Amino acid sequence: MSARRSATFLAGRSLLAELMFLLFKQPILPKIVVDAAGKPAFADPSLPFFNLSHSGDRLLVVVSALGPVGCDIEINRQRRGLTALAAEFFSPTENQWIKAQPSPQTAFWQLWCLREALLKQRGEGIWAMQSIQIDPAQHTFSAECKVSHLFVSSTEGLILSVALPTSVSKLQHWRLSFDKSQLEKVPEPGWQQFKPQVSPC
């Protein structure tokens, strides 16, 4: 790994270790394995599910004992080819919605993060992105197996998204303190919820 990637990797593992201690009383970070699709998980299947994402110097870690999770974080930034990416991966309805928004750039990243979170929850790669259809006006989505609720939030120049089991009814939010000495509980960042278009399978 490059020095920057190594630092990000270690920071993510450190945050995960803190959450596992704080919420699940694990004194050290449990052993992690990576499956054939590249998704990390704890070697002990009785331990919670987790997922990590980073963008620049920002990290997002999601942990749940109720089932697989996925997450994505993106700095709300300009990038070449956003229109071409949207045309390739998003439906005509989604592309029309993007063009109608005050900030098409923010709208693009919202739809991108929603897809990434769901794909990571399912352990699939970007090749499966077109299998997901999102109706941003109705806050619904369709996918091959609808076992998730999706959430997205835009805050502080960031787009956050998480994919959670439908059994999750409450989210707790933690942030590294300003002096980076501890995790502190904070109010939720104002999630928009997306629900499956039909009953979960």
Side-chain angles (χ1 to χ4, degrees), residues 9-18 20 26 28-35 38-45 47-52 61-63:
F9 176 88
L10 291 173
R13 291 299 189 266
S14 296
L15 285 175
L16 178 58
E18 286 294 321
M20 289 299 294
Q26 294 289 318
I28 61 172
L29 183 64
K31 181 181 178 181
I32 294 173
V33 295
V34 179
D35 67 18
K39 183 176 181 178
F42 291 124
D44 182 348
L47 291 174
F49 299 84
F50 70 90
N51 199 235
L52 301 92
V61 181
V62 178
V63 181

Side-chain angles (χ1 to χ4, degrees), residues 15 18 175-184:
L15 285 175
E18 286 294 321
R175 180 178 60 195
L176 195 62
S177 61
F178 182 76
D179 64 3
K180 300 182 180 180
S181 65
Q182 62 182 345
L183 289 174
E184 54 187 14

Side-chain angles (χ1 to χ4, degrees), residues 134-145:
I134 298 173
D135 186 334
Q138 299 298 318
H139 285 198
T140 60
F141 70 95
S142 64
E144 293 176 0
C145 187

Side-chain angles (χ1 to χ4, degrees), residues 14-172:
S14 296
L15 285 175
L16 178 58
E18 286 294 321
L19 283 169
M20 289 299 294
F21 175 74
L22 182 68
L23 301 176
F24 300 99
K25 310 306 179 190
Q26 294 289 318
I28 61 172
L29 183 64
K31 181 181 178 181
I32 294 173
V33 295
V34 179
D35 67 18
K39 183 176 181 178
F42 291 124
D44 182 348
S46 69
L47 291 174
F49 299 84
F50 70 90
N51 199 235
L52 301 92
S53 180
H54 70 90
S55 182
D57 62 352
R58 302 302 180 98
L59 284 162
L60 177 63
V61 181
V62 178
V63 181
S64 173
L66 298 178
V69 294
C71 68
D72 191 45
I73 184 170
E74 296 287 350
I75 294 174
N76 190 0
R77 65 195 187 281
Q78 292 184 348
R79 176 181 166 180
R80 285 186 189 177
L82 289 187
T83 301
L85 282 173
E88 180 178 357
F89 291 113
F90 301 165
S91 70
T93 297
E94 294 167 86
N95 277 281
Q96 291 173 6
W97 178 80
I98 288 173
K99 292 174 183 176
Q101 299 311 299
S103 172
Q105 175 181 298
T106 299
F108 170 87
W109 286 119
Q110 288 174 336
L111 294 178
W112 185 270
C113 279
L114 284 165
R115 277 180 165 77
E116 284 273 15
L118 185 58
L119 291 174
K120 290 174 71 177
Q121 182 192 37
R122 288 161 36 177
E124 297 178 344
I126 195 172
W127 53 268
M129 191 167 278
Q130 290 176 322
S131 69
I132 302 166
Q133 301 295 314
I134 298 173
D135 186 334
Q138 299 298 318
H139 285 198
T140 60
F141 70 95
S142 64
E144 293 176 0
C145 187
K146 306 166 183 65
V147 296
S148 310
H149 282 173
L150 290 170
F151 296 83
V152 68
S153 175
S154 304
T155 178
E156 299 177 2
L158 295 172
I159 312 296
L160 316 172
S161 185
V162 295
L164 304 171
T166 53
S167 53
V168 172
S169 60
K170 184 179 180 182
L171 288 80
Q172 295 183 28

